[in-house]
Amino acid sequence: MNTYDYSLPTLAPYINWAYFLTAWGLPARMASAAYAHDCPACRATWLAQWPAAEHGKAEEVLRLLADARQLLEELSTKYQTHARLGIFPAYSEGDNIIIRSERGDCRLPLLRQQRAERTAGGETAPLLCLADFIAPRHLSEQVAFRLPLPCRPDDADYALTCASALGIFAATVDAGIMEYAADDAYRQLLAQTLGERLAEATAERLHEDVRRRIWGFAPEEQLTPAQLFAENYHGRRPAVGYPSLPDLSLNFLLDELIDFSAIGIHLTESGMMQPLASVSGLILAHPATRHFAVGPIGEDQLKDYALRRGLPVERLRRFLKNLGS
């Protein structure tokens, strides 16, 4: 496992301002304001692209982003963000991923879709589980686990080698960011929403470093921020609590593997992370990996999942209440 520290200025290009605006109830489509030069002429040019009826909202966006940029400079002199990363040889076993760590094999139980989706062509899509993107044991043992990746995208073993390992990450901000300006409600809320975006930006930057040099499965990658936000890269980074990885209690398993406390993250009884501006999840490298929503699960899968997790059904039902289980 390794820890990575990031200064806030180096993360600025990785901040997704669209989500920042959404958190403030403002239109995400106006996030281009974050990239406009902050002079009167450029602000006026940016404002002119919107219909007159939307100028009020657009001016609010400009003011908010100006305040955010100013506060970001202020925070940059005091705070950093941090990430924790482990990349492990792994193989799939049914709907589980078996992670080979120094402490022995660790089973990561996952959930599978039970409601069929339709493809763009109208066909029924397969019911997916994240374990589908990890090679089964008899295949994963055919390749050597080395970092950076010993092969490149044009090699015959590239996809198999990518599918024979799993990344686990956590990212967070210095706790002081979330407590900043406690005597000013507006500035404190601004710092907190910036903190949330900085945690996500840390995960974005870490994932780029993983692809290009640490794991090295995309060493030639050169993507703009817009391409990063559109996920125009190999593999995916599903976060705990998101549609394909909805069980927050998985944080307890990930914590055992990479030690969240090494970067100041602590878990509540429900699996939530403190500081709240934190994110954790998996990194999968297989080129076919994609996002999906697990969706509602039935009693049969809930009982099977509880058995694989080694937890009571009723406890897991509380973690998965949003899935209709």
Side-chain angles (χ1 to χ4, degrees):
M1 276 72 67
N2 289 294
T3 297
Y4 302 87
D5 302 317
Y6 296 97
S7 68
L8 303 196
T10 64
L11 294 175
Y14 300 87
I15 296 175
N16 191 326
W17 292 105
Y19 287 118
F20 176 83
L21 293 179
T22 298
W24 284 83
L26 292 168
R29 55 192 168 82
M30 292 185 175
S32 58
Y35 308 103
H37 189 266
D38 193 24
C39 70
C42 292
R43 288 163 64 94
T45 299
W46 180 86
L47 187 62
Q49 70 182 293
W50 304 102
E54 295 192 286
H55 279 194
K57 284 286 186 187
E59 289 172 345
E60 190 176 352
V61 166
L62 286 171
R63 286 193 297 271
L64 179 66
L65 290 176
D67 289 346
R69 282 192 292 259
Q70 182 178 8
L71 184 58
L72 184 60
E73 289 185 13
E74 194 174 318
L75 295 172
S76 295
T77 65
K78 302 175 174 68
Y79 303 110
Q80 290 183 304
T81 71
H82 314 279
R84 187 76 167 158
L85 174 71
I87 302 174
F88 304 90
Y91 64 89
S92 62
E93 184 178 82
D95 291 347
N96 306 306
I97 297 176
I98 310 301
I99 300 163
R100 294 181 152 171
S101 72
E102 293 178 354
R103 296 165 49 186
D105 288 357
C106 172
R107 182 184 303 271
L108 181 65
L110 298 167
L111 292 163
R112 182 173 295 279
Q113 292 175 308
Q114 290 186 266
R115 180 176 295 176
E117 298 178 350
R118 295 285 180 178
T119 66
E123 300 174 347
T124 301
L127 300 175
L128 295 176
C129 174
L130 288 174
D132 297 341
F133 304 106
I134 299 293
R137 184 171 187 170
H138 71 279
L139 292 178
S140 67
E141 291 180 342
Q142 296 179 19
V143 296
F145 176 70
R146 297 205 309 272
L147 295 175
L149 199 70
C151 60
R152 293 295 178 260
D154 56 348
D155 293 334
D157 287 338
Y158 174 77
L160 177 58
T161 308
C162 285
S164 298
L166 178 73
I168 297 175
F169 77 93
T172 192
V173 302
D174 281 338
I177 291 177
M178 304 304 285
E179 301 162 359
Y180 198 71
D183 58 345
D184 184 324
Y186 170 69
R187 278 167 53 82
Q188 184 177 40
L189 183 57
L190 193 61
Q192 289 172 349
T193 48
L194 265 177
E196 292 167 0
R197 288 300 98 214
L198 285 166
E200 294 285 354
T202 303
E204 192 76 76
R205 168 64 188 274
L206 174 70
H207 193 195
E208 182 181 66
D209 289 342
V210 166
R211 295 190 305 272
R212 294 180 60 183
R213 61 178 184 82
I214 301 172
W215 193 339
F217 56 84
E220 306 301 322
E221 178 189 286
Q222 295 287 339
L223 299 179
T224 65
Q227 290 171 323
L228 288 174
F229 300 151
E231 300 183 329
N232 293 338
Y233 45 68
H234 281 192
R236 286 294 181 267
R237 186 182 73 246
V240 173
Y242 279 56
S244 61
L245 205 61
D247 180 5
L248 279 180
S249 74
L250 287 178
N251 270 330
F252 297 114
L253 295 180
L254 304 190
D255 184 21
E256 289 178 5
L257 285 162
I258 65 170
D259 185 12
F260 290 0
S261 68
I263 55 172
I265 295 176
H266 302 282
L267 299 178
T268 68
E269 290 184 359
S270 65
M272 293 287 291
M273 290 180 287
Q274 298 287 350
L276 289 176
S278 303
V279 60
S280 63
L282 311 179
I283 297 176
L284 296 101
H286 192 283
T289 310
R290 66 179 182 85
H291 289 306
F292 59 90
V294 167
I297 64 171
E299 285 293 312
D300 55 343
Q301 184 172 191
L302 176 62
K303 292 176 182 178
D304 173 73
Y305 184 63
L307 183 64
R308 289 184 285 129
R309 286 294 314 276
L311 295 174
V313 169
E314 291 309 314
R315 183 179 179 192
L316 280 174
R317 193 188 305 278
R318 292 196 297 272
F319 287 124
L320 299 171
K321 60 184 178 182
N322 293 331
L323 294 186
S325 58

